[in-house]
């Protein structure tokens, strides 16, 4: 049986759309059963509806800083749709530790850097100010600490001398759209094992792909 997935968004839903498109494949081991936004004006709601996915709005603003009260409304909605896995797609709301641990190993997020480098806000600016030559994106399980959960998958791009935060973000976004569905496929198919804080992939015999930046001359 396919795993039932809820995507939580707050904005345009770029990664949400990539996940929905990937899940349309017959052999994909998960189905997107609902998109939930904490903002009524999130652009991703219209995209999800156009792609035939049910949507739900649970405004977080009325709850202010009371995370538990917001989650008390969110959790029944997840139960209503019989959700097995949660994917965060630009969801700009922090959870309580209790909610996170309840979904431990079942809630995924994506961050536009090669974690543990450059967590939090402005990861592209952080990368450029530090002068790294390679950056990328990371899919990870969610834990109470921000951008610190077990790493599921990463994808890398070269950082160019002329990059701005916007140009680097655009190249990394293309990587995000590739690795988020791939990571969800691994989790939904049961090929990911958690050993403490480390993710292991069943059937992974290693790889020999290399990215060197600047390119060797």
């Amino acid at each position: 049986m396919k795993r039932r997935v809820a995507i939580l968004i707050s904005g345009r839903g770029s990664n949400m759309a990539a996940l929905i498109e990937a899940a349309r494949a017959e052999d994909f081991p998960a189905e997107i059963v609902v998109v939930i936004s904490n903002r009524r004006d999130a652009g991703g709601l219209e995209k999800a509806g156009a792609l035939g996915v049910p949507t739900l709005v649970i405004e977080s603003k009325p709850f202010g800083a009371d995370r538990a009260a917001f989650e008390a409304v969110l959790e029944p909605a997840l139960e209503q749709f019989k959700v097995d896995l949660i994917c965060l797609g630009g969801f700009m709301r922090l959870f309580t530790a209790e909610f996170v641990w309840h979904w431990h190993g079942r809630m995924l997020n994506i961050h536009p850097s090669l974690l543990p480098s450059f967590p939090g806000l402005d990861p592209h600016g952080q990368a450029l100010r530090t002068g790294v030559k390679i950056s990328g994106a990371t899919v990870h399980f969610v834990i109470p600490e921000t951008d610190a959960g077990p790493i599921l998958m990463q994808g890398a791009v070269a950082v160019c001398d002329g990059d701005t935060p916007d140009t680097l973000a655009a190249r990394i976004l293309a990587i995000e759209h590739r690795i988020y569905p791939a990571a969800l496929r691994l989790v939904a198919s049961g090929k990911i094992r958690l050993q403490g804080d480390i993710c292991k992939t069943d059937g992974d015999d290693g790889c020999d792909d290399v990215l060197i930046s600047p390119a060797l001359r």
Side-chain angles (χ1 to χ4, degrees), residues 54-68:
T55 62
L56 183 63
V57 176
I58 303 175
E59 289 270 13
S60 59
K61 190 173 182 180
F63 297 98
D66 191 343
R67 300 176 193 172

Side-chain angles (χ1 to χ4, degrees), residues 79-99:
E79 292 175 0
Q80 174 190 346
F81 284 91
K82 298 180 173 60
V83 170
D84 300 309
L85 300 168
I86 296 173
C87 287
L88 305 182
F91 188 67
M92 305 304 290
R93 176 85 181 182
L94 296 176
F95 295 112
T96 64
E98 290 77 13
F99 183 88

Side-chain angles (χ1 to χ4, degrees), residues 5 15-25 27-30 32 85 87 108-110 137-141 151-155 173-192 199-202:
V5 179
N15 276 301
M16 172 209 75
L19 290 167
I20 292 173
E21 290 290 353
R24 286 180 161 182
D27 66 342
F28 200 84
I32 313 303
L85 300 168
C87 287
L108 291 67
N109 192 25
I110 191 161
T138 303
V139 183
H140 62 93
F141 282 127
I151 292 171
L152 286 157
M153 185 174 287
Q154 293 182 301
L173 185 61
I175 291 290
E176 293 179 48
H177 292 169
R178 292 173 61 185
I179 68 171
Y180 210 170
L184 176 59
R185 177 185 284 273
L186 287 176
V187 173
S189 62
K191 292 183 178 179
I192 293 293
C199 288
K200 299 291 186 178
T201 307
D202 289 341

Side-chain angles (χ1 to χ4, degrees), residues 112-119 122-137 155-165 167-169 171-172 211-215:
S113 78
L114 295 176
L115 294 173
S117 297
F118 316 131
D122 191 27
H124 308 303
Q126 292 185 61
L128 293 175
R129 288 190 294 273
T130 305
V132 297
K133 303 305 180 186
I134 295 172
S135 190
V157 300
V159 179
C160 304
D161 286 345
D163 265 330
T164 66
T167 60
L168 181 57
R171 288 206 309 286
I172 290 178
L211 172 61
I212 297 174
S213 178

